């Protein structure tokens, strides 16, 4: 049963993070608040991470191991948001 729900959850996570990135990006273009920019960048990277997860576990299982790229993209997402927090705190 979990083999049916797991891909659905992975895809829902991808769509959710993509929608969040788009909404944050639109808010940034409207208000020019820098923290919205960094949040949009973070969620864009999280969407890429979720897409890699779908590719790794659903589309290409047992063919290609995308664990390292997924970890690096998620690290970049967190580092981007952390950089944005630090950058905005200094102003």
């Amino acid at each position: 049963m979990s083999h049916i729900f797991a891909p659905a959850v992975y895809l829902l996570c991808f769509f959710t993070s993509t929608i969040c990135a788009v909404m944050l990006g639109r808010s940034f273009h409207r208000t020019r608040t820098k923290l919205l920019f960094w949040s949009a960048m973070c969620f864009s990277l999280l969407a890429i991470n979720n897409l890699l997860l779908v590719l790794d576990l659903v589309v290409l299982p047992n063919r290609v191991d995308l664990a390292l790229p997924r970890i690096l993209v998620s690290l970049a997402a967190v580092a981007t948001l952390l950089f944005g927090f630090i950058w905005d705190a200094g102003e």
Side-chain angles (χ1 to χ4, degrees), residues 10-71:
Y10 300 150
L11 286 172
L12 284 173
C13 289
F14 168 70
F15 290 132
T16 302
S17 56
T18 302
I19 290 169
C20 287
V22 169
M23 289 172 52
L24 287 164
R26 289 178 57 177
S27 293
F28 167 72
H29 284 294
R30 211 170 353 129
T31 63
R32 295 294 182 195
T33 304
K34 288 185 226 174
L35 191 56
L36 286 172
F37 171 76
W38 295 114
S39 298
M41 293 300 294
C42 175
F43 272 92
S44 297
L45 289 169
L46 290 174
I48 292 170
N49 182 38
N50 286 322
L51 180 61
L52 288 174
L53 179 72
V54 170
L55 290 175
D56 191 17
L57 300 180
V58 178
V59 178
L60 303 170
N62 303 323
R63 291 189 191 135
V64 178
D65 184 19
L66 296 175
L68 182 61
R70 286 190 291 129
I71 291 170

